[in-house]
Amino acid sequence: MTTTVSASGLSLRYGATRALDDVSLRLTPGVTGLLGPNGAGKTTLLRVLATAVPADGGAFTVLGQDPGTAAGRQEVRRRLGYLPQTPGFHPDFTAFEFVDYVAILKELTDRGARHREVRRVLDQVDLSEVRGKRIRKLSGGMRQRVALAAALVGDPGFLVLDEPTVGLDPEQRMRFRELIAQAGEGRTVLLSTHQTEDVAMLCHRVLVMAGGAIRFDGTPAELTARAAGRVWNSTGRDPGAKAGWRTGTGSFRNVGNPPEGADLAEPTLEDGYLLTLDDAGVRAGVAA
Amino acid sequence: MSAVLEEAPVTERTAHSGGATSATLDLALFEARRLLTRIPMLLAFAAYVAWIVWRTPKFEDGFPALQNADRATQSGPLLVGLAVMLCANHAVLRSQRHDTERHFGVLVLTPGRRTAAHVLSVVPAVLLVAVGVAGQFGWEALRPGAVGTGSVAELLVGPLLVLLFGAVGVLLARLIPSGFAVPMAIVLFFFLFFAGAVPTGTGERGTRWLAPVVGEMSSGAIPSDLMDRPAAWHALYLLGLGLTVGLLAVVAGGGRGWALKGAVAAALALAVTGGVAQTSGLPAKTVVARAAATNNPEKQQTCVNRDGSTYCSFPEWQPRTATWASVVRHVQSLAGGRAHTQPVLVRQRIYATDGLYSDGAIDPSANPYQVTVGTGWGGNRVPEFSAAVSSVLVAGSEKATGGMCDGRMVTAMWLALSWQPDPMRSLRDVRLDDSVTGSAIVLSPTDPLQMTAGQTDVVRELLAKPQQSVAAKVKAHWAELTAPKVTSARVAELLGVAAPKEADKCD
C-alpha cells in the first residue's frame, strides 16, 4: 500500500518537556486514529506533520516530499489539509468567503476553478444552503464543518484533523463521522480524538500516544484484542482492577487482570486503549 | 428518479496554475474588496465625495486658476488615507484577533506574501482617490472661468498619500500587533503637528516639504511658470516613502530574499532623492523671473484691444480679458463726459516675489487711466475691479484715487455698483467689514478706498433708486460730480437724494 507519511525518530522538546520522543510511523490511505490522554503529544505530532512546527530531531516525508527543505515544505503544504484543534474563524466572513480565503492561501489561483472547488467542498460538508451566511451566525457544528471544508479545499492528499468533534452534540458528531469517512476515501487522514467510538467506527488503523511516544500502532481490532480476557463483570468494584465502574445494570465492569473464575466480558476498543495506557505507566483508570 | 452529479475536485494542475505571485494578487483583490466595504472606508469616501461636491463650486469663486486647483485636491484624501490606515491595520491583525494564524501558518502562501497582499490591497483605494482627484480637477478645468495649467505631480499627491497611509497601517500591524497602534499613531501625529514638531520650515523650500501635504500661505494665483513648486520631487518622495514603508512591512511580515532587499533599497533611494531635491533652494532664474513679473509685468504679458481699451494679462489669463472688458463697458456706459469713451489700460499685476509663500501689496499705478486687475475673479473680485475702474475714471489714475475722500467717492461707488445684478449685495461684498452702513474700507486690487458713513448713506439711497434716472443725472452733472473737493452733500443734491448728516473727512 502507498505510504503517504513516513516518519522516523521524530523528537521535540519544549524546555524540559519531551513533547515527542523518538516517534516513528507510517501512514497509508484511509483514516488513522490517534488516541492519547491530554498532554500525550498528539497535537504536537500533528503540528509537526502539518509543518506548523519543526521537529528537533528525526526525519519524515509527506507524499514523498521532505518538509525539512523550504521547497519540500511548500510542496507538502500545497497538498495538505489541516483542521487545527479549536480552529479560529473570521466571524465577519461568510462561509464561502472563509473557505475561498483559505483556498487562495493554498494558492488555488484560477478564480473560476477555485470558486467551483469552494462550492464543491461546502456542498460536501452540507453547507451549500448557508454559504452566504456570516460565520458568526452559524452554529458550532456548522462552524466546525466550515473548518473541515477549509481543510478539504484543493483536494489534499493528506488530511490532519485535530479533535474535530470536540464540543459537538451526538447528531453533529454522527454527521461528522460520515464526512470524515468520506474524506478518508482515497486519501490519508490522521484523526486525533478522545472519542474511542469514533476511532472504532472510522479508522482502519489506530495509534496510541502517551508521554510523547507511540505506545500502540495497529488496527482497532488489535487494540481491542489487547483487552481480551482482561475485562470482567462483578457485583462490586474489584480491588485488583486497573479501572472499574458501575454500569447501568448495577453490575461493575472491571478492566485489568481478572481473578480466576471471573465473569469475562466482551472487550471494547476503549478497554484496549485504557490497558495500553496503563501498560505504558499512564494512570487512565476510571473509579466507580 | 434523480441523478446526482458530483463535481470533480480541483486538481493540482488547474488549481495552482499561477503560483505564489498570482495567489498574492488574488489575496490582494480579496482584501481590497473587504477593505473598500469597511464602514470607516465607506464613511471616509462619502465624506470625501461630499467635500468635493461642496468645495469645488466655491473654489476661487468659480473662476479657478488650475495651478491652484491641482493643489486643492490634496487635503481631501487625507481623511480617506486615515481610514485606509485604520482598516488595513485592522485587516492585518484579523488573523491574530481571531486566532487563525495556527491554521493559516501551514498554508502555502507565506506570511511575507500575505503582508504584501495587504499592502497591495490599498491600491484600489488609491485608484479611487485618483478618480476623485481627477474628477475634482476635471470639474474645475471644465468651468467656463478656468484659466492656467495644472500639474500632474500635484494631482498625484492625494493618491500617494493614501498609499503611504495604507502602508503605514500595514507596517504598524506587523511591528505592534495591537489595534490601538493606529489610533495612537494618529493622535501622536496630530499632537506633534499642533506642537510644531512636524516640519513646517521657515521658507518657501526647505524642511516643510518633508510633510506629506505642503500648502501655501497665499490664496492668490501667479502664473504657473513662476510657481516652481518642487511638486514632481515631492511626488517622487511620497512614492518612495510609500513603497519603502510597504516593503518594510513585507520584511517585518517575514518576507526575505535579495529581490526584496533590493526593492527596499531602490524605494529608499527614491524617497531620499525626492526628499533632498524638494528641499533644495529656489533656482536663481525663478527669482529673477518673479521679480520681473512683479516689477515689469508688461514684458511677460500679451495685450488685446477691446472697445478701444487695452487689456494686458499674463498669457494664462488671456481668456479672462473679455470678462474684464464687460465690467469696463458697464461702468463706462453709466459715466458721463470724457469718461464715457475714455480708453483705459487694464493691466494685470501680481506680487510674485515670494511665490505663493506670502502675499505682498501692489502699489497703485500713477499712469493715467490705467487700472490694475489681479489674478482672481468672481465673487468679491468683480465689484472690487468695478470700483477700481470707476474710481480711475472719476479721479484719472489709481494714484489719484488715494485722495478721493470727497463727494467723488459717491459717484465712483454708484458707477461701480449700480450695474451689478444685486447692487446692495455688491456694496456689502466690496466693503471689508461686509456692512452697508457706517464708514468702511472698500477693497480694490491696489490700495483700498475709504467710504465715510455719510457717503455710504448717499450711495445706499442712490442704489435704491431706478438706475436710469440716476444715470441721466450723473451724465448731466458729470463735470461737477467728478471735480476735486466736491462735497458729498453737493453730490447728493445733484443726484436728487438727501444730503448726508456729516461732512466729508479729508485730512
Side-chain angles (χ1 to χ4, degrees):
Chain A
M1 190 175 265
T2 317
T3 301
T4 307
V5 178
S6 172
S8 66
L10 289 180
S11 60
L12 180 62
R13 275 181 175 277
Y14 290 124
T17 308
R18 190 174 289 185
L20 290 182
D21 183 11
D22 193 23
V23 171
S24 297
L25 55 83
R26 292 164 76 84
L27 300 180
T28 54
V31 183
T32 298
L34 180 60
L35 289 170
N38 290 331
K42 300 189 302 294
T43 293
T44 302
L45 176 61
L46 262 51
R47 284 170 60 74
V48 167
L49 295 180
T51 74
V53 287
D56 292 341
F60 72 105
T61 60
V62 177
L63 296 161
Q65 301 291 332
D66 176 10
T69 66
R73 192 159 49 247
Q74 283 298 83
E75 274 309 307
V76 170
R77 288 175 173 180
R78 239 179 259 287
R79 302 172 67 186
L80 172 81
Y82 178 46
L83 193 162
Q85 196 176 5
T86 58
F89 297 96
H90 296 166
D92 285 346
F93 283 29
T94 63
F96 185 93
E97 283 174 334
F98 186 77
V99 179
D100 190 35
Y101 192 83
V102 171
I104 294 171
L105 296 186
K106 285 186 174 182
E107 293 190 357
L108 271 66
T109 53
D110 179 329
R111 192 162 183 263
R114 188 179 75 232
H115 283 184
R116 277 197 301 279
E117 174 67 357
V118 172
R119 280 193 290 271
R120 184 188 70 81
V121 292
L122 284 172
D123 191 41
Q124 193 177 340
V125 300
D126 213 9
L127 287 177
S128 293
E129 298 294 315
V130 295
R131 69 182 181 212
K133 252 192 172 178
R134 298 206 182 281
I135 289 176
R136 77 154 75 89
K137 292 186 176 167
L138 300 181
S139 68
M142 283 178 168
R143 287 183 190 197
Q144 202 68 353
R145 276 188 275 156
V146 171
L148 181 61
L152 285 170
V153 76
D155 194 26
F158 178 38
L159 193 58
V160 176
L161 308 177
D162 195 354
E163 300 192 27
T165 55
V166 165
L168 301 185
D169 64 31
E171 192 186 343
Q172 288 172 334
R173 237 173 57 212
M174 192 82 80
R175 176 74 187 117
F176 233 82
R177 256 181 222 158
E178 288 175 7
L179 296 173
I180 293 169
Q182 199 182 350
E185 290 170 11
R187 68 160 69 85
T188 301
V189 179
L190 181 56
L191 168 69
S192 166
T193 182
H194 285 297
Q195 310 289 338
T196 51
E197 64 266 48
D198 284 352
V199 173
M201 291 185 184
L202 284 170
C203 302
H204 76 293
R205 198 165 147 224
V206 60
L207 305 171
V208 177
M209 280 190 85
I214 303 281
R215 306 295 178 172
F216 176 85
D217 182 352
T219 64
E222 286 168 346
L223 182 58
T224 306
R226 280 197 155 196
R230 299 178 70 185
V231 183
W232 70 100
N233 294 319
S234 62
T235 52
R237 189 183 190 281
D238 195 315
K242 308 281 184 190
W245 61 94
R246 187 196 299 271
T247 65
T249 61
S251 67
F252 277 76
R253 184 179 171 88
N254 303 284
V255 180
N257 296 316
E260 269 194 40
D263 174 18
L264 293 178
E266 191 66 28
T268 64
L269 187 136
E270 186 170 61
D271 299 329
Y273 166 62
L274 290 175
L275 285 167
T276 300
L277 293 184
D278 195 70
D279 293 347
V282 180
R283 174 74 182 149
V286 181
Chain B
M1 186 172 159
S2 65
V4 177
L5 292 174
E6 276 199 14
E7 261 190 273
V10 168
T11 64
E12 287 290 304
R13 193 158 33 82
T14 57
H16 306 296
S17 53
T21 303
S22 193
T24 306
L25 293 176
D26 277 4
L27 186 61
L29 261 180
F30 187 101
E31 292 289 359
R33 270 197 305 274
R34 290 197 63 80
L35 188 79
L36 291 174
T37 52
R38 298 299 88 196
I39 288 175
M41 289 294 295
L42 294 174
L43 290 177
F45 268 111
Y48 177 47
V49 171
W51 177 81
I52 291 174
V53 171
W54 171 77
R55 183 189 164 107
T56 307
K58 293 180 180 177
F59 182 72
E60 296 195 336
D61 294 312
F63 290 84
L66 297 182
Q67 53 266 46
N68 282 358
D70 55 8
R71 215 165 55 254
T73 62
Q74 294 173 357
S75 51
L78 270 173
L79 184 65
V80 178
L82 291 176
V84 168
M85 190 200 286
L86 193 69
C87 293
N89 181 270
H90 203 248
V92 178
L93 294 176
R94 190 198 300 126
S95 274
Q96 185 205 0
R97 206 165 48 248
H98 299 299
D99 192 25
T100 50
E101 201 50 48
R102 283 176 302 132
H103 183 194
F104 295 171
V106 302
L107 298 178
V108 187
L109 207 62
T110 60
R113 285 189 173 275
R114 277 154 54 200
T115 307
H118 280 292
V119 174
L120 289 172
S121 75
V122 308
V123 171
V126 171
L127 295 177
L128 277 178
V129 167
V131 169
V133 165
Q136 184 181 358
F137 183 76
W139 187 351
E140 296 286 14
L142 291 173
R143 298 186 76 118
V147 293
T149 314
S151 153
V152 173
E154 297 278 13
L155 296 176
L156 284 174
V157 168
L160 289 174
L161 271 181
V162 176
L163 174 70
L164 173 61
F165 278 43
V168 168
V170 177
L171 177 63
L172 277 176
R174 286 304 182 208
L175 295 180
I176 310 168
S178 162
F180 291 106
V182 163
M184 291 297 287
I186 293 171
V187 169
L188 187 68
F189 174 79
F190 281 109
F191 175 76
L192 291 176
F193 185 80
F194 288 113
V198 171
T200 52
T202 53
E204 191 178 335
R205 294 285 184 98
T207 55
R208 77 189 187 111
W209 280 89
L210 295 176
V213 174
V214 184
E216 299 290 355
M217 310 281 187
S218 171
S219 55
I222 60 173
S224 49
D225 54 346
L226 298 180
M227 290 175 64
D228 212 359
R229 275 170 58 91
W233 290 120
H234 189 62
L236 184 71
Y237 161 72
L238 285 179
L239 176 68
L241 209 56
L243 291 176
T244 303
V245 173
L247 290 165
L248 284 177
V250 175
V251 172
R256 295 290 178 267
W258 285 108
L260 182 58
K261 285 177 187 166
V264 171
L268 197 59
L270 287 184
V272 170
T273 304
V276 170
Q278 69 182 351
T279 53
S280 62
L282 200 65
K285 66 172 186 174
T286 303
V287 176
V288 171
R290 284 179 180 179
T294 304
N295 302 320
N296 305 102
E298 59 277 1
K299 290 180 181 166
Q300 299 177 23
Q301 291 183 335
T302 49
C303 300
V304 292
N305 196 287
R306 293 180 188 276
D307 307 327
S309 291
T310 307
Y311 298 85
C312 299
S313 71
F314 292 99
E316 288 173 315
W317 276 266
Q318 269 297 309
R320 210 167 271 175
T321 54
T323 324
W324 300 336
S326 158
V327 173
V328 171
R329 201 179 307 121
H330 273 114
V331 174
Q332 285 196 305
S333 71
L334 299 169
R338 228 182 104 197
H340 189 65
T341 53
Q342 172 66 45
V344 296
L345 168 64
V346 174
R347 181 172 297 287
Q348 192 173 40
R349 293 168 66 205
I350 56 173
Y351 178 82
T353 309
D354 297 324
L356 294 171
Y357 192 64
S358 68
D359 286 323
I362 301 170
D363 291 333
S365 167
N367 297 338
Y369 297 106
Q370 177 174 326
V371 185
T372 297
V373 66
T375 50
W377 195 246
N380 295 1
R381 302 297 88 75
V382 179
E384 283 170 26
F385 176 64
S386 186
V389 172
S390 64
S391 54
V392 164
L393 287 174
V394 168
S397 74
E398 284 181 342
K399 198 90 177 169
T401 60
M404 212 168 63
C405 55
D406 46 36
R408 291 177 295 170
M409 189 67 194
V410 171
T411 308
M413 290 310 293
W414 180 82
L415 286 173
L417 304 174
S418 63
W419 64 271
Q420 308 266 356
D422 184 350
M424 288 306 287
R425 183 180 171 172
S426 295
L427 174 64
R428 190 190 309 276
D429 288 346
V430 83
R431 287 155 63 98
L432 185 62
D433 61 358
D434 289 340
S435 67
V436 290
T437 57
S439 63
I441 287 172
V442 175
L443 296 168
S444 148
T446 57
D447 282 353
L449 307 169
Q450 177 76 42
M451 280 178 90
T452 65
Q455 288 163 354
T456 305
D457 291 341
V458 176
V459 170
R460 207 174 50 246
E461 274 198 64
L462 287 172
L463 292 176
K465 291 169 82 77
Q467 186 202 46
Q468 285 311 314
S469 69
V470 179
K473 288 174 185 165
V474 166
K475 285 175 181 166
H477 303 290
W478 181 258
E480 192 174 355
L481 289 172
T482 58
K485 297 187 181 167
V486 63
T487 64
S488 296
R490 177 61 181 152
V491 170
E493 185 186 346
L494 290 171
L495 298 180
V497 293
K501 289 177 184 148
E502 60 178 29
D504 298 328
K505 290 174 184 167
C506 291
D507 300 326

